[in-house]
Amino acid sequence: MRKKIIAGNWKMNMTPTETKELIAKLKSGCDVKDADVVFVVPSIDVTTAKASLEGSNIKLGTQNFYFEDKGAFTGEISAKMILDAGAEYVIIGHSERRMIFKEDDKMINLKLKKAHEAGLKPILCCGESLELREAGTYKTFIEGQIKSAFDGISDSDAKKTVVAYEPIWAIGTGKTATSEEAEEVCKFIRECLSKIYSNDVSEEIRIQYGGSVNAGNAKELFGMPDIDGGLVGGASLKEDFIKIVNYKE
Ligand code: 13P
């Protein structure tokens, strides 16, 4: 049985002061035992969030790092830095980074390798545009993203990777994929992983759905056999996140 993982991607929201306030509101309601709950905050907020989360089971993550260890990379931060600051998880390959910051499959693969080497737990995102969805070629595209991201990743590191299926057309649009649409692709991703590794490995990998998850649709989505939780954007900044984390109730 895979343990559910429900992560809130705060994106570029919340100053350190606001981080303290938001965590004070969410902390006790999000502190559950039957799922891993992760607050994925901006890097600048990691230290504050770490102190605010003290005494709870809530895990901490951040949204980006650069794959080099150190050096002349003005403006970047390393895996070791975010780990030392207190983050355990890191998002890699989010569509916003692919599209706005032009991160390509090669860079995403290098980041996945570095995250594992450093001991960070990566949440690897994939997902198609509306154009590919309508053209019907979305599965081929996603298989390509998965193959390239996992190139050279060992069985044991693959098992520690969380995959997030986030169709771009569902992100921030309020247009959630139906639970059947989300399940179809999460199941397909597991089949791709099974082909790269083995059935045993793919059965251990947790696959989330992300894209307009809210308090009203979480239960149905997370109840699907191949959906092991969610990566939540907008709704993770509100008290709604408590309802999402407690979706079974
Ligand atoms: P929304 O939940 O705001 O649609 O964002 C999803 C997302 O991009 C999480 O990474």
Side-chain angles (χ1 to χ4, degrees), residues 4-11 36-41 61-63 89-96 122-126 162-167 170-172 176 186 206-214 217-218 221-222 227-237 241 244:
K4 296 274 195 248
I5 175 162
I6 302 165
N9 175 8
W10 290 14
K11 306 196 178 181
D36 287 327
V37 176
V38 192
F39 289 1
V40 188
V41 307
T62 191
Q63 303 161 18
Y89 286 84
V90 68
I91 294 177
I92 297 174
H94 193 283
S95 58
E96 286 150 18
I123 299 178
L124 172 80
C125 300
C126 62
V162 176
V163 179
Y165 168 55
E166 298 207 308
I171 296 177
T176 324
C186 291
R206 295 186 289 179
I207 304 176
Q208 301 174 309
Y209 165 77
S212 300
V213 173
N214 60 43
N217 58 29
L221 285 162
F222 302 170
I227 302 181
D228 306 313
L231 186 55
V232 185
S236 72
L237 299 167
F241 196 56
I244 295 173

Side-chain angles (χ1 to χ4, degrees), residues 36-138:
D36 287 327
V37 176
V38 192
F39 289 1
V40 188
V41 307
S43 308
I44 193 83
D45 297 331
V46 169
T47 313
T48 307
K50 175 87 181 156
S52 303
L53 288 171
E54 177 96 33
S56 85
N57 292 308
I58 299 166
K59 311 223 170 355
L60 188 56
T62 191
Q63 303 161 18
N64 188 36
F65 70 100
Y66 191 56
F67 58 79
E68 295 285 358
D69 286 329
K70 57 159 76 174
F73 304 102
T74 303
E76 292 298 324
I77 52 170
S78 71
K80 198 173 161 189
M81 287 173 194
I82 56 178
L83 197 67
D84 189 62
E88 188 182 344
Y89 286 84
V90 68
I91 294 177
I92 297 174
H94 193 283
S95 58
E96 286 150 18
R97 293 217 59 90
R98 293 180 193 256
M99 291 187 307
I100 305 168
F101 301 101
K102 312 290 175 225
E103 291 195 8
D104 60 10
D105 285 336
K106 177 79 194 143
M107 181 184 272
I108 288 158
N109 174 250
L110 288 169
K111 287 188 172 191
L112 192 58
K113 285 179 173 153
K114 181 55 72 177
H116 283 302
E117 188 192 309
L120 279 165
K121 295 176 182 151
I123 299 178
L124 172 80
C125 300
C126 62
E128 81 285 2
S129 62
L130 184 60
E131 205 182 351
L132 291 175
R133 165 69 48 171
E134 285 175 344
T137 52
Y138 56 100

